[in-house]
Amino acid sequence: MTREKEDPEWLISAGPVDYETAVAEMESRVAAIRQGRAPELVWLLEHSPLYTAGTSARPEDLLNAGGLPVYQTGRGGQYTWHGPGQRVAYVMLDLQQRGADLRAYVRNLEEWIIRALARFNVTGERREGRVGIWVTRGGGREDKIAAIGVRVRRWVTYHGIAINVEPDLSHYGGIVPCGIADEKLGVTSLVDLGLPVTMEDLDNALMATFGEVF
């Protein structure tokens, strides 16, 4: 019999969180959730500038790290950038209590991002064969505004999503983001789209729409 789901705990870190520290904290929390010692958690944070390589990352897609650290990580996906102005949401949920369906979980992460962006009148869209959430810019151009990379350990999820609020987009020039080199496919942010959205604004949208999806 499946117990009734409780709302996850929410944690918002005020300052940049070291990447290796964040991974260690996630792994500890995942173990505690699995053992029934802690509730599920959604952790909202920012990192200092860095690149991460997912399990599908190709060495040739790291063009120029420019002195930024590069971390190999166990999440799915390829290369991505994290840094100030980007909201990272690390999502630690017990999928055994939520249907035990990894594809449905990833679909729900996408839907969560789409609904949060809709709060700012931004139409985020899925694209077949391209992970993440995209916005149409006109003239055949599409830009990625949110990335998704997940890992699951004994049905407890970690890692999660990253949404660009107002990052330095030039850092994406050091990698082939998510392995996509098409010149008509770029990277954008809420502020790049002309929207004066703050990190707090996005946090409120994420918290307001989470329960609609999960």
Side-chain angles (χ1 to χ4, degrees):
M1 181 176 179
T2 302
R3 64 175 172 79
E4 184 178 351
K5 295 190 297 292
E6 298 177 356
D7 291 337
E9 178 184 352
W10 288 78
L11 174 64
I12 302 176
S13 292
V17 179
D18 175 75
Y19 185 76
E20 291 179 314
T21 299
V23 172
E25 290 288 339
M26 280 194 287
E27 289 178 343
S28 176
R29 184 60 172 249
V30 165
I33 293 170
R34 193 173 66 240
Q35 295 163 10
R37 296 186 289 106
E40 298 173 317
L41 175 67
V42 181
W43 185 10
L44 304 179
L45 56 91
E46 293 175 85
H47 287 302
S48 297
L50 60 96
Y51 296 114
T52 63
T55 54
S56 302
R58 299 173 297 190
E60 61 269 26
D61 286 344
L62 180 62
L63 304 177
N64 180 10
L68 297 185
V70 180
Y71 293 96
Q72 303 294 321
T73 180
R75 63 157 173 80
Q78 301 187 45
Y79 279 103
T80 193
W81 171 87
H82 294 307
Q86 180 192 75
R87 176 53 90 211
V88 174
Y90 287 139
V91 185
M92 287 153 268
L93 300 181
D94 184 355
L95 292 189
Q96 283 191 318
Q97 307 301 329
R98 295 175 176 270
D101 186 332
L102 183 55
R103 287 189 178 184
Y105 170 65
V106 173
R107 187 87 178 171
N108 285 341
L109 288 177
E110 294 171 340
E111 183 65 24
W112 182 32
I113 296 167
I114 288 169
R115 292 190 184 208
L117 293 176
R119 295 286 178 116
F120 309 106
N121 295 315
V122 173
T123 302
E125 299 177 308
R126 301 174 176 91
R127 287 294 181 264
E128 189 69 30
R130 286 192 253 136
V131 179
I133 298 300
W134 299 76
V135 293
T136 300
R137 303 300 298 271
R141 180 178 179 83
E142 295 180 355
D143 286 346
K144 189 173 188 175
I145 194 168
I148 298 173
V150 303
R151 189 172 184 181
V152 178
R153 181 172 292 171
R154 296 185 184 178
W155 290 110
V156 180
T157 68
Y158 57 124
H159 295 278
I161 67 173
I163 302 175
N164 290 335
V165 178
E166 191 179 7
D168 181 352
L169 295 175
S170 70
H171 285 300
Y172 284 97
I175 57 173
V176 178
C178 301
I180 298 173
D182 191 320
E183 63 181 14
K184 288 191 174 182
L185 301 177
V187 182
T188 191
S189 69
L190 287 164
V191 171
D192 184 54
L193 293 174
L195 301 168
V197 178
T198 67
M199 200 67 72
E200 183 180 5
D201 293 333
L202 178 60
D203 290 348
N204 289 334
L206 288 169
M207 288 186 282
T209 54
F210 183 87
E212 297 175 2
V213 179
F214 294 98

